[in-house]
Amino acid sequence: MFIQAINWNTIIKTITEKKIFSGEVISIYLITNVAKYLPGNIFHFAGRHYILRKYIKSDIQLVLINLSEIGFFLLSSFLLFSIGIFSNIITIPADLADQVNIKIVVILSIVGIIVSAILFLIFNKKILNEFKRLLKFRTIKNICILILSYFSFFIITGLLYTSTVRFFFLVELSFIQYLFFICVYSFSWLLGFVVPGASGGLGVRESVLVLMISPFYGAEIALSSGIIFRIITISGEILTALYGKIIEQFFVKKVVE
């Protein structure tokens, strides 16, 4: 969660080019994150958008901040899944593979995202002008750092999930199997994020894990590990929300005073 908060802070400073106290930005992110468990993932984005309005008056910049965060999340998780598919680390279950050519879907998705982004920029002049303003070396450097940081977030989270499988179910895993679980978890996170109405990906993420992991490790391990890891992540998010309140109360207020 702290990785996500620091990344969000970097996005804000890159887009707005304003000096906003990092401690306050991080506390806002940590506190509002739990709002994603309201009906739909959109609520934590809306909450942060609303709070940031006291610092940032430009609606275009606020929209870009949210879109950038979503874009980095989707790009990083999608890249990990794509690497898993094209390197054959992930093996798609036979019944699913018979119905869908996953590699074709991945390629078409990449093309669709690129075309949609180009059309969006062409027909939205204000956002296009904002992008032109941001086209500088410092921005490009920050974007590269952010991609690596979001990528590391999914690798770390995937390793935590893999550790859950290993320690709770006493499963010995090779290096390739670690990569398998990281890629599968990234894919489950991706689908849990994009499916409408799935609060924090609840249910969707666990269903994908069962579908992808059951053929190799059994339905019991797949389902149980998903539920245990959900408990761990929700507990972690509640804890970081408390950290956010501590930062807000003891550090942000002192700076303001």
Side-chain angles (χ1 to χ4, degrees):
M1 288 311 307
F2 275 98
I3 292 174
Q4 291 183 31
I6 292 167
N7 287 345
W8 190 60
N9 182 46
T10 304
I11 290 171
I12 290 171
K13 290 187 174 180
T14 301
I15 290 175
T16 64
E17 298 181 334
K18 290 183 178 180
K19 292 183 178 179
I20 304 173
F21 178 45
S22 297
E24 186 161 10
V25 171
I26 290 172
S27 69
I28 290 169
Y29 193 95
L30 297 179
I31 294 167
T32 57
N33 180 69
V34 292
K36 68 186 179 185
Y37 291 106
L38 296 171
N41 283 321
I42 194 67
F43 281 93
H44 62 305
F45 289 106
R48 292 198 289 267
H49 185 107
Y50 176 76
I51 294 171
L52 277 181
R53 286 190 68 87
K54 68 178 179 180
Y55 304 105
I56 304 165
K57 303 303 179 185
S58 169
D59 285 321
I60 293 295
Q61 289 185 344
L62 288 169
V63 169
L64 273 177
I65 289 167
N66 275 333
L67 289 178
S68 297
E69 185 186 15
I70 293 170
F72 281 119
F73 270 131
L74 295 180
L75 176 64
S76 302
S77 56
F78 190 77
L79 278 175
L80 265 173
F81 175 67
S82 300
I83 290 170
I85 287 293
F86 287 101
S87 62
N88 292 320
I89 292 172
I90 297 177
T91 305
I92 303 301
D95 54 345
L96 181 61
D98 290 339
Q99 300 177 41
V100 182
N101 189 321
I102 298 295
K103 291 185 178 180
I104 295 297
V105 171
V106 169
I107 293 170
L108 289 177
S109 298
I110 293 171
V111 173
I113 290 168
I114 293 172
V115 172
S116 299
I118 292 172
L119 290 174
F120 181 74
L121 291 175
I122 290 173
F123 289 105
N124 196 314
K125 300 296 182 183
K126 288 183 179 180
I127 290 185
L128 181 60
N129 291 334
E130 192 69 25
F131 268 109
K132 288 178 180 177
R133 181 184 68 80
L134 292 170
L135 283 177
K136 53 187 75 170
F137 174 76
R138 181 170 170 272
T139 305
I140 294 171
K141 181 187 74 173
N142 284 348
I143 288 172
C144 293
I145 292 170
L146 282 165
I147 290 172
L148 290 174
S149 187
Y150 276 99
F151 205 73
S152 71
F153 162 75
F154 281 103
I155 291 175
I156 292 169
T157 311
L159 284 172
L160 289 173
Y161 173 66
T162 309
S163 298
T164 303
V165 174
R166 182 181 177 188
F167 294 131
F168 278 89
F169 301 97
L170 304 177
V171 177
E172 289 299 322
L173 301 172
S174 66
F175 176 72
I176 295 298
Q177 288 170 316
Y178 267 91
L179 294 178
F180 166 80
F181 277 101
I182 290 170
C183 293
V184 168
Y185 184 80
S186 298
F187 181 54
S188 71
W189 190 98
L190 174 65
L191 290 185
F193 187 79
V194 300
V195 171
S199 304
L202 278 170
V204 175
R205 200 173 296 168
E206 290 74 22
S207 298
V208 174
L209 291 175
V210 170
L211 178 67
M212 301 290 288
I213 294 173
S214 292
F216 311 102
Y217 297 92
E220 182 181 349
I221 289 179
L223 180 59
S224 300
S225 64
I227 293 171
I228 292 169
F229 195 63
R230 172 66 73 175
I231 294 169
I232 291 170
T233 53
I234 291 176
S235 301
E237 287 163 350
I238 293 171
L239 187 59
T240 49
L242 295 176
Y243 287 152
K245 291 298 292 184
I246 292 171
I247 293 170
E248 180 186 52
Q249 293 294 323
F250 293 96
F251 295 98
V252 174
K253 285 190 175 180
K254 285 184 180 179
V255 171
V256 172
E257 290 170 2

